[in-house]
Amino acid sequence: MAYFLDVILPIPLKKAFTYHITDAEATFIKRGMRVAVPFGKNKIYTALAQKVHQSEPLAYEPKTIHQILDEEPIVTESQLHHWQWISEYYMCSLGEVMRAAMPNAFILESETILTKRDTQYPDDNFFTDDEFLIYEALQHQSTLKIDDVSAILDRKRVLPVIHGLVEKGILNLQEELYEKYQPKLVRYIKLAEGYTDEKNLEALLEELNRAPKQRQVLLTYFTMHSTSKKPISVSELSKRSQSSSQIIKALVDKGILEDYHLQVDRVIPKEKQDKSVVLSKEQVTALKGIEHQFQQKDVVLLHGVTSSGKTEIYVKLIEKQLGLNKQVLYLLPEIALTTQLVQRLQTYFGDRVAVFHSRYSSNERVEVWRHLLDTSTPSKIVIGARSALLLPFFNLGLVIVDEEHEQSYKQFDPAPRYHARDAAIVLSNIHNSKSLLGSATPSIETYYNAQQNKYGLIELKTRYNNVLLPDIELVDLADKYKRKHMKGHFSDRLIEEVSETLQEGHQVILFQNRRGFSPIVECTTCGHSPQCPNCDVSLTYHQYRDQLRCHYCGYNTVMIKSCEACGNATLDTKGFGTEQIEEEVKQLFPKSNVARMDLDTTRGKFAFEKIIHSFENREVDILVGTQMLTKGLDFRHVKLVGIMNADNLLNFPDFRAHERSYQLMAQVSGRAGRTDIRGKVLIQTYNPHHNILQQVSTNSYEEMYVEQLNERYSYKYPPIFRIIKVTLKHKDYNRVNQAAEWYCKSLRQVFGAYVLGPEFPPVSRIRNQFIKNILLKIPPNQNLKRTKEAITKIDNSFNAVKDFRPVRVILNVDNY
Ligand code: ADP
Ligand code: ZN
């Protein structure tokens, strides 16, 4: 009987791929091992073994696999189970989940290697210019890759040139697999065999009297060797003996020392400190409450005001799990913002903290993966942003989702478009573990689940140390402008408070949810404003670089001096961003130090850390920033928070805009007065009577919740109804229109009035692609699985229409 293997390929196609395998392979292969398989014309992919069976595919002749890449599975059963759920719930292929889950270095790539054939030297007219460049490069090096060719020819599409050379018999093509992951090796040094004997040693030292530097190295080696049996690295020896590596090399060359390599993990853990906290009475009550609720409920929401000490409660819960030899997953909305937290946890748990960081290199992520697979090591607490939940856990005891309301938990692009909080709860269930969701401003969804008794609920209403929540004052901008009490974008009240805070030696945070200098440049003569050529949006002025930039596609151009339409030099700016606030701060408070934290100032690898550090160390007095400032940062000396303009948050066209405004403002406000003195918050707005602002200023979360939930009922939105957003994209305006009409009509035939659209979003063209949205609302009693099956059917028929096939369709379940 012949054997076959179903595999998962890291591609968006939703079907199983079957290959032919030998009897021996069939007994060796286990689910979750990687295999290299041929795919398409001459590609090699890394696939994941899913199932060995004996039923031959009928529709096609299966190919055979190239090779097995693992000795043992590197993806576990429970992972595969979880991936399956994600792919079904979020309507994507298993391969897309696999690609999101596995570090790139695990997914071996086929790279085309070019080599030169031994043919006689052809005459000059034989080559085109491009071909000659490649031929010449191969005179100097034996192989080239496609990327090298791109570099030589300075362009992307090089395959035709390569094909040309292949046809002329100059090149060989060869598909080659290579392991991308390279363990980091450190060079160590030891005494060569012959010298370990004492007699020889004496003779040696005698001999080295004429080479005092080498003698010095050797003596240092002995000292180091006698005090510790740890391997001695070349760099350490060189440092301790104050000698160059040249001298060490001379000793190696003489055969006195030998060098060897050892692999080290590049995720080097911090030292553990013995520092245990004593919980306050309120914290103890909350902790007990959580543990009590876990006896009946799988999920508990910890609703604790900002700075109530939620983190310390997590720490106690983690401690307990590690004591039981269980693993803990700690999810954060954005790992880059949480160096503070990682440090805090490392002081408690030392090297048992594993950080899974999207900014880590692929190699570093492979190491975390391998650590988790190694079930013989002590269990870990894994901290990471959303993709950490796709790691190979084996005995998870607790999942913590901190700042559970954060929208960055939802993956937007590419698929799988999963919500990490929800996927984490499912993961936790698979492991029979518990989930704790924490927030000062829970999402309406989660609070609703708690109210429905689906989740447990524990509340912490006071701050740690009984510091009062900040005093929040609303400043009426319309009135201030009328009375001419404004300087730039600062009201007199804000200026007073900032001055006072600085005088007292405290720090200030100023929040403005836009980056750049101003979002619109407008000609006062003709009203024209410069637009992005690729997107349907006006360009933002960035004064610092003297540029106009598009925040959607990155397009930029030098700032214009006069209007492109009428030619008059009458350009004005409208609206303002963080750059402008920073400018104004410098003029209003020339003696203070100001820093800015937004996407533009935090691009480098450690840029964040630097800004946070200098603010913590009080080298900076005033920090201006976007919503990056809101996410769980713990600064000890901030007394004042200023929200420059609340209105652009409130007026955002989205059913979650009010909920989000509340969360954002409550969270930024929460940065004020975290230690002993009460903080102050000023919110500048044209609508001081807006309900949300009233609720923020009185810290009335429940009131906000009740009001928002009513709206969700009336307008049929989550958490009452579920939603699936269908987005269609294409560069041709008419085609996207026709396609959207067709799709929408088909959906309506099944779901009737619960289909909204199709509709262009506020920014209807991005990167030259027109965008149209359809929203499907799913009533509480409607079967979710069958709903998705109906959509899939429509999607398949859609893709069967030739004209529609080039239109990209994106299904976003529980769109955020
Ligand atoms: P939250 O996460 O609820 O915003 P944190 O856990 O960051 O609050 O706590 C706020 C501040 O109070 C932190 O600086 C923290 O170190 C301190 N803190 C909280 N609980 C304790 C405790 N039991 N002992 C000492 N300091 C604490
Ligand atoms: Zn653009």
Side-chain angles (χ1 to χ4, degrees):
M1 266 300 250
Y3 283 96
F4 301 93
L5 176 68
D6 287 348
V7 300
I8 308 170
L9 280 168
I11 55 175
L13 294 179
K14 276 189 226 166
K15 55 175 217 173
F17 298 89
T18 306
Y19 289 85
H20 184 247
I21 49 174
T22 64
D23 294 9
E25 285 168 338
T27 46
F28 187 81
I29 293 176
K30 295 195 205 96
R31 240 163 98 77
M33 283 184 185
R34 292 171 303 164
V35 287
V37 298
F39 187 76
K41 263 217 181 101
N42 45 16
K43 279 252 168 287
I44 300 173
Y45 270 107
T46 297
L48 211 54
Q50 206 181 8
K51 191 177 155 201
V52 176
H53 59 85
Q54 295 196 310
S55 44
E56 185 166 2
L58 300 174
Y60 58 95
E61 174 89 15
K63 293 180 183 171
T64 57
I65 66 168
H66 275 250
Q67 65 190 119
I68 301 170
L69 298 168
D70 293 311
E71 303 271 310
E72 292 293 331
I74 62 160
V75 174
T76 65
E77 273 304 320
S78 58
Q79 260 180 309
L80 287 170
H81 180 176
H82 189 226
W83 292 4
Q84 184 72 36
W85 178 84
I86 292 178
S87 93
E88 279 168 24
Y89 187 87
Y90 294 104
M91 302 181 79
C92 64
S93 77
L94 257 180
E96 285 170 308
V97 186
M98 170 187 168
R99 188 170 278 293
M102 299 183 75
N104 272 338
F106 268 147
I107 312 181
L108 301 173
E109 272 183 6
S110 65
E111 282 251 80
T112 309
I113 308 278
L114 309 175
T115 50
K116 190 167 63 74
R117 271 197 187 165
D118 281 326
T119 41
Q120 79 273 37
Y121 193 88
D123 68 79
D124 284 350
N125 295 329
F126 185 73
F127 292 119
T128 66
D129 289 353
D130 282 348
E131 287 172 355
F132 185 71
L133 284 174
I134 300 169
Y135 178 81
E136 203 184 36
L138 280 170
Q139 304 289 336
H140 303 296
Q141 59 194 97
S142 57
T143 64
L144 285 176
K145 288 187 190 154
I146 304 285
D147 282 350
D148 303 330
V149 175
S150 290
I152 292 165
L153 301 181
D154 194 29
R155 65 164 188 264
K156 261 231 171 86
R157 288 173 205 278
V158 291
L159 286 182
V161 183
I162 296 169
H163 282 308
L165 280 168
V166 173
E167 273 164 35
K168 286 175 183 173
I170 304 297
L171 285 187
N172 272 334
L173 286 188
Q174 179 195 343
E175 291 278 316
E176 187 177 289
L177 276 178
Y178 72 108
E179 175 87 80
K180 271 202 212 158
Y181 170 64
Q182 286 166 341
K184 188 174 170 188
L185 295 175
V186 170
R187 198 151 72 97
Y188 292 95
I189 217 88
K190 63 179 183 198
L191 201 60
E193 288 283 325
Y195 292 100
T196 39
D197 180 314
E198 212 151 292
K199 247 203 212 141
N200 293 344
L201 211 59
E202 267 170 40
L204 174 65
L205 286 172
E206 193 74 12
E207 191 189 314
L208 283 183
N209 271 339
R210 274 164 291 139
K213 281 185 177 166
Q214 293 178 14
R215 195 166 187 273
Q216 171 65 23
V217 170
L218 212 57
L219 288 172
T220 311
Y221 174 85
F222 290 137
T223 322
M224 290 170 76
H225 187 69
S226 64
T227 49
S228 154
K229 293 292 164 229
K230 277 203 300 197
I232 296 166
S233 71
V234 172
S235 60
E236 216 176 301
L237 181 59
S238 142
K239 208 167 84 192
R240 291 273 282 271
S241 62
Q242 297 181 338
S243 334
S244 72
S245 53
Q246 284 305 314
I247 298 168
I248 300 175
K249 184 171 178 291
L251 285 164
V252 173
D253 289 345
K254 280 187 184 170
I256 300 167
L257 290 178
E258 261 174 27
D259 60 354
Y260 62 103
H261 290 82
L262 282 182
Q263 181 180 335
V264 295
D265 288 354
R266 60 214 73 203
V267 190
I268 298 159
K270 290 245 168 62
E271 289 282 307
K272 181 179 156 167
Q273 292 168 17
D274 269 324
K275 206 180 93 182
S276 76
V277 278
V278 183
L279 294 188
S280 70
K281 216 170 87 231
E282 291 80 6
Q283 284 171 317
V284 171
T285 312
L287 176 64
K288 284 199 177 136
I290 292 166
E291 287 179 326
H292 183 71
Q293 300 237 340
F294 273 154
Q295 288 172 8
Q296 294 136 37
K297 300 255 158 61
D298 290 332
V299 186
V300 171
L301 166 64
L302 173 58
H303 178 205
V305 296
T306 53
S307 204
S308 54
K310 296 185 286 297
T311 319
E312 306 301 337
I313 296 176
Y314 303 153
V315 167
K316 296 289 177 207
L317 289 163
I318 295 168
E319 228 162 36
K320 192 158 177 189
Q321 291 300 323
L322 294 183
L324 296 168
N325 260 325
K326 293 275 194 175
Q327 297 175 324
V328 177
L329 169 63
Y330 192 136
L331 286 179
L332 294 161
E334 229 168 296
I335 196 91
L337 292 164
T338 26
T339 37
Q340 282 187 331
L341 180 92
V342 171
Q343 277 170 8
R344 229 160 124 183
L345 290 180
Q346 276 175 338
T347 59
Y348 298 127
F349 303 113
D351 62 3
R352 294 183 77 171
V353 178
V355 186
F356 192 72
H357 202 308
S358 60
R359 287 196 194 182
Y360 277 176
S361 69
S362 188
N363 291 346
E364 287 163 325
R365 281 183 275 159
V366 164
E367 264 150 26
V368 176
W369 190 294
R370 293 244 182 239
H371 261 301
L372 283 174
L373 277 180
D374 181 1
T375 52
S376 65
T377 59
S379 53
K380 296 264 182 228
I381 145 170
V382 178
I383 309 188
R386 57 177 181 245
S387 61
L389 67 93
L390 301 168
L391 285 165
F393 296 98
F394 72 95
N395 61 348
L396 206 51
L398 176 68
V399 175
I400 295 168
V401 184
D402 200 8
E403 312 289 348
E404 68 81 30
H405 64 278
E406 275 286 339
Q407 73 187 96
S408 52
Y409 275 128
K410 177 81 159 108
Q411 172 140 323
F412 175 66
D413 213 26
R417 297 180 172 79
Y418 63 107
H419 197 297
R421 174 194 61 218
D422 302 341
I425 291 172
V426 173
L427 175 75
S428 177
N429 287 340
I430 290 173
H431 285 265
N432 279 322
S433 132
K434 302 287 175 188
S435 308
L436 181 65
L437 314 180
S439 176
T441 54
S443 65
I444 302 283
E445 279 87 346
T446 295
Y447 205 72
Y448 177 75
N449 281 328
Q451 295 296 326
Q452 299 285 307
N453 259 323
K454 209 172 138 192
Y455 298 169
L457 174 64
I458 295 295
E459 315 233 24
L460 251 181
K461 304 227 178 209
T462 51
R463 287 187 145 185
Y464 176 72
N465 225 359
N466 285 318
V467 186
L468 287 176
L469 279 165
D471 166 37
I472 302 182
E473 175 181 331
L474 299 171
V475 179
D476 184 350
L477 282 175
D479 180 66
K480 293 291 178 193
Y481 273 108
K482 206 171 85 198
R483 292 171 196 270
K484 302 208 165 23
H485 288 175
M486 296 290 291
K487 273 190 191 150
H489 296 93
F490 286 75
S491 62
D492 52 356
R493 281 293 298 128
L494 187 53
I495 294 174
E496 274 163 34
E497 289 290 340
V498 174
S499 311
E500 197 176 300
T501 307
L502 294 175
Q503 259 163 32
E504 291 168 355
H506 298 300
Q507 290 173 303
V508 179
I509 283 179
L510 297 175
F511 170 77
Q512 168 63 5
N513 210 23
R514 275 205 169 118
R515 62 194 169 94
F517 189 83
S518 89
I520 296 173
V521 174
E522 196 180 68
C523 172
T524 52
T525 309
C526 74
H528 174 84
S529 57
Q531 303 287 308
C532 174
N534 312 318
C535 310
D536 177 26
V537 71
S538 48
L539 294 169
T540 297
Y541 173 43
H542 284 241
Q543 189 185 51
Y544 178 68
R545 301 193 197 185
D546 199 34
Q547 274 180 345
L548 289 168
R549 300 184 69 90
C550 172
H551 286 184
Y552 287 83
C553 73
Y555 170 86
N556 58 75
T557 168
V558 66
M559 175 61 179
I560 47 173
K561 298 280 173 285
S562 54
C563 177
E564 303 159 309
C566 71
N568 284 311
T570 47
L571 295 173
D572 199 5
T573 57
K574 269 175 117 177
F576 62 99
T578 44
E579 240 187 41
Q580 194 166 154
I581 297 305
E582 187 190 10
E583 276 305 302
E584 292 181 4
V585 166
K586 282 180 183 159
Q587 279 166 22
L588 288 167
F589 310 100
K591 283 197 211 115
S592 59
N593 293 319
V594 55
R596 173 158 59 90
M597 186 154 106
D598 56 28
L599 214 60
D600 298 317
T601 60
T602 51
R603 283 190 214 275
K605 196 170 178 185
F606 295 110
F608 255 120
E609 285 82 346
K610 275 190 204 148
I611 297 175
I612 289 173
H613 256 280
S614 60
F615 197 56
E616 268 175 347
N617 297 337
R618 308 175 80 167
E619 290 151 25
V620 166
D621 308 305
I622 304 176
L623 185 60
V624 179
T626 57
Q627 85 268 17
M628 280 183 185
L629 289 170
T630 59
K631 307 190 182 174
L633 292 172
D634 185 27
F635 296 120
R636 315 193 68 85
H637 306 285
V638 176
K639 193 182 158 211
L640 177 69
V641 167
I643 295 176
M644 301 306 298
N645 180 319
D647 303 301
N648 57 32
L649 294 174
L650 292 166
N651 298 334
F652 197 75
D654 182 278
F655 74 92
R656 285 193 176 90
H658 286 177
E659 174 191 354
R660 290 235 172 91
S661 306
Y662 182 93
Q663 289 161 341
L664 218 64
M665 286 188 267
Q667 291 285 350
V668 218
S669 305
R671 301 312 114 205
R674 289 175 71 88
T675 34
D676 35 56
I677 39 153
R678 188 176 190 197
K680 171 94 189 169
V681 179
L682 282 184
I683 303 180
Q684 302 194 128
T685 172
Y686 285 96
N687 297 292
H689 299 295
H690 197 292
N691 277 356
I692 288 289
L693 293 178
Q694 292 296 327
Q695 287 151 2
V696 170
S697 65
T698 51
N699 191 33
S700 310
Y701 175 85
E702 281 84 3
E703 194 187 312
M704 182 282 293
Y705 167 77
V706 168
E707 198 174 289
Q708 292 305 311
L709 192 69
N710 273 333
E711 303 231 318
R712 306 285 174 89
Y713 264 113
S714 323
Y715 298 105
K716 303 187 168 57
Y717 276 115
I720 315 301
F721 279 56
R722 288 174 185 271
I723 51 173
I724 296 179
K725 188 162 104 175
V726 185
T727 301
L728 294 98
K729 286 187 184 177
H730 193 263
K731 62 182 189 307
D732 185 86
Y733 177 81
N734 289 326
R735 195 181 300 221
V736 86
N737 266 331
Q738 283 161 9
E741 283 303 330
W742 188 99
Y743 214 108
C744 201
K745 215 171 101 195
S746 310
L747 285 173
R748 259 198 199 107
Q749 276 167 3
V750 184
F751 302 108
Y754 289 131
V755 182
L756 303 186
E759 184 172 81
F760 285 112
V763 178
S764 62
R765 187 177 53 117
I766 295 175
R767 296 173 194 273
N768 285 316
Q769 301 267 322
F770 288 94
I771 303 164
K772 219 155 185 188
N773 290 329
I774 303 167
L775 196 67
L776 175 66
K777 293 181 172 177
I778 306 166
N781 51 9
Q782 186 172 311
N783 183 307
L784 205 57
K785 204 162 172 226
R786 255 177 272 142
T787 304
K788 286 172 187 167
E789 279 163 12
I791 298 172
T792 304
K793 230 167 140 187
I794 290 169
D795 201 62
N796 289 340
S797 324
F798 178 86
N799 283 314
V801 181
K802 199 166 132 266
D803 278 357
F804 293 158
R805 212 170 296 143
V807 177
R808 217 175 134 218
V809 178
I810 295 160
L811 299 174
N812 193 333
V813 179
D814 299 342
N815 173 56
Y816 254 63

